[in-house]
Amino acid sequence: METARGRASSKGGVVREITYRQALNEALAEELARDPNVFLMGEEVAEYHGAYKVSQGLLERFGPKRIIDTPISENGFAGLGVGAAMVGLRPIIEFMTFSFSLVAFDQVVNNAPNMFMMSGGQFNIPITFRGPNGPAHQLGATHSHATESLYANAPGLKVCTPATPRDAKGLLKTAVRDDNPVLVLEAELLYSSKGMVEPPDEELLIPLGQAEVKREGSDVSIICYAQTVPLAIAVAAQLEEEDISAEIVDLRSIKPLDEVTIFNSVSKTHRAVIVEQDRPFCGVGAEVCYRIQKNIFDELDAPIMRVSQEDVPMPYNERLEKFVLPNADKLMAAVKKVCYA
Amino acid sequence: MQPVEQRDEVEMLSLMLLIRRFEERASQQYQAQKIGGFCHLYIGQEAVVVGAVAAVRDDDYIITAYRDHGHALARGTSPNACMAELFGKATGCSQGLGGSMHFFDKKNHMYGGHAIVGAHVPLAAGMAFASKYREEDRITLCFFGDGAINQGSFHEALNLIALYKLPVVLICENNLFAMGTSVKRSTSLKQIVDRAEGYDIPGDIVDGMNFREVRDKLSEIVTSIRKDPHPAFVEIRTYRYRGHSMSDPASYRTKEELEKYRLDDPIIRLRAQLTREGKLTNEQFDAFDKKAKETVLASVKFAESSPELPVEKVYNYAYFKGPIEPEWKRREGAPALKAES
Ligand SMILES: Cc1ncc(C[n+]2csc(CCOP(=O)(O)OP(=O)(O)O)c2C)c(N)n1
Ligand SMILES: [Mg+2]
């Protein structure tokens, strides 16, 4: 496993505990320092250091030429990024949240990923779109979108959803170096969460399309990503007390999807529950579910279950919001159902 | 309905006081965690919406962005319904489903409360289109911030509004900042009102700290539009005393700047005007203020003791007249399948 455990990293350096936010900040700083073609653009990224303080200190270090505040013009600056990428720059475009990326949907879905095909392979688009994604807390219907299934639906886009500081750093760095459009969907509620990460002088790159088993188990595979990873970890601990051993597969990338890790896990446990932060209809879980039954149908001892949001716009009221979101009770119930417990 | 020219200035002053006291109390309740999500206060800008409302009929349409508490109150939404909305209660103006950023009140012709910057300007075009279509002489007042004028939807809407000669008053509440970005850093124009010129829409600049100036300019515009439908644009210069939202320390501006505007306070100013003219005594003002404070305090009590919507109600608001089936029922297995097995 790649996870940095204990004091020493695989290369012998000392791992440190940092926040998800710091991890993203380090990834940005390292890639900006490495490649002069990389720049960061978005609302409040420079002087305000990011609405969620992810770009703290970057303006001071890299200057206003490379850390650029924009007006509230998502479609405009997303398109600017795509154009700059066509002629050789490597833009990192921050959406203050991915709910606002919907204003730029045309650029992200219709320009960035289509260019390579349409131009007969002349123009690849090495761009990174990043920012917080997924429901946060009581922000209401317009501000609570999880956009992964919307974007994963578009051919030509890559989509990753880091859940830990280490994955956030490693995936963002990989995204910036990728020669195609990549969306890094950060977990708004996890910005202040902490985790062990290799020291800054050790290059940390996590390939897209590699899931990670975050916890080993034998009775059921809980397939999760982003904000549902900590949820799954908490539920697995509860299940342990009831003698159910859950394996946790963190997808990390939605597209490309790591089928091998999923199939290996489900072939071992013979049961699967997919828990996603997104809405149910045409969701990530539906795709994962299809692939499991298509490829390893005989390994299954129970129908696959999905836990997701309810299929309604997000209400503001706290209790109603909780009711709509996936939660520990729903996940427990689903696991017990597939385990016939 | 009150003929507009008779709307009592003293009443309008107490309306401004009510908004001020409401916002102060909302701020306190937010800190006490009775209110969730994002909360944007209107303190300092009261003369804009009150001046505008004083110039129109009760059945004219009003639509605004997310800094909307003052707009609802000025429109006649009860403080109880406003506070209850912030508390997420069923008695709120949007039944606790919308929250601070999504105040709606059909009865009082308040059409929201819209949290995606710029996204409601096309809606204003549609509302005004409908008035014209039905040959009504209603006017649509569309409020938005200085930050909204760089959104594509704003530009597209302005062209449509001008092209179809729609009866919309476009009211830009220029409080100099969009979050931490000053107008100087977001907009290529010397003054915002010049945006209107590009679409051949007549534009004016108004001092938003002066209730009378706002009302008189709006009255003039409204009279002209009622005679013959056409759009108009006003850049109303104002200032928000508080941070962008409750979590913003507003360190991008100086204490001196804030103090300068506070001395020019719209409530103090109208009070002084009325006192000088012998229309208001200090005792009367104090009585109004006391009443505003009591009303707001009562609204907190009302909100606290109000019920929340039962959680299952979420299924009733995905579609009009079409409650949907809960996701958990799907997980349990569709009813038809259950009957078979
Ligand atoms: C499309 C979109 N992008 C970004 C945001 C985040 N955001 C909310 S308010 C705001 C600033 C808007 O400023 P302005 O229009 O001047 O209104 P004010 O807050 O001053 O009332 C921003 C960037 C958003 N809500 N919608
Ligand atoms: Mg503003």
Side-chain angles (χ1 to χ4, degrees), chain B residues 3-43:
Chain B
V4 166
E5 48 301 350
Q6 285 174 25
R7 281 203 192 180
D8 184 34
E9 287 188 327
V10 176
E11 244 175 63
M12 294 295 108
L13 178 66
S14 24
L15 186 52
M16 279 163 48
L17 266 173
L18 174 68
I19 296 173
R20 173 78 48 101
R21 300 305 178 212
F22 182 92
E23 294 292 63
E24 287 166 353
R25 191 56 73 177
S27 165
Q28 182 222 27
Q29 293 298 306
Y30 189 91
Q31 266 139 11
Q33 295 184 330
K34 293 288 175 60
I35 298 170
F38 291 147
C39 183
H40 309 84
L41 301 179
Y42 197 58
I43 297 177

Side-chain angles (χ1 to χ4, degrees), chain A residues 52 136-140 188 316 318, chain B residues 21-41 43 69 82-83 85-88 99-101 103 242-248 296 300 303-304:
Chain A
Y52 297 91
H137 188 61
Q138 282 200 275
L139 301 186
E188 178 163 346
Y316 160 74
E318 190 172 24
Chain B
R21 300 305 178 212
F22 182 92
E23 294 292 63
E24 287 166 353
R25 191 56 73 177
S27 165
Q28 182 222 27
Q29 293 298 306
Y30 189 91
Q31 266 139 11
Q33 295 184 330
K34 293 288 175 60
I35 298 170
F38 291 147
C39 183
H40 309 84
L41 301 179
I43 297 177
H69 310 165
C82 291
M83 195 60 85
E85 187 58 35
L86 297 178
F87 278 55
S100 164
M101 304 194 288
F103 276 21
R242 300 294 182 94
H244 167 71
S245 65
M246 294 300 297
S247 61
D248 169 29
V296 170
V300 172
E304 264 171 348

Side-chain angles (χ1 to χ4, degrees), chain B residues 16 24 34 51 54 149 157 214 266 299 305 315 334 337:
Chain B
M16 279 163 48
E24 287 166 353
K34 293 288 175 60
I149 67 163
V214 177
S299 77
S305 60
Y315 302 116
L337 287 179

Side-chain angles (χ1 to χ4, degrees), chain A residues 44 47-48 69 71-74 96 103 137-139 142-143 280 306 310-312 316-317 319-320 323 337, chain B residues 36-37 85-86 88 96-97 99 101-102 115 150-151 178-181 185-186 248 308-309 315 324 327 331:
Chain A
E44 308 288 353
E47 295 194 10
Y48 202 75
D69 277 329
I72 310 169
S73 309
E74 288 84 358
M96 192 177 278
V103 172
H137 188 61
Q138 282 200 275
L139 301 186
T142 57
H143 277 49
R306 287 174 68 200
E310 298 299 308
D311 197 13
V312 300
Y316 160 74
N317 172 283
R319 280 179 51 241
L320 271 62
F323 182 77
K337 199 164 161 80
Chain B
E85 187 58 35
L86 297 178
L97 298 173
M101 304 194 288
H102 307 112
N150 301 308
Q151 273 289 20
M179 277 180 130
T181 305
R185 294 204 302 123
S186 72
D248 169 29
E308 298 175 46
L309 277 187
Y315 302 116
I324 60 165
E327 211 44 45
R331 279 201 299 277

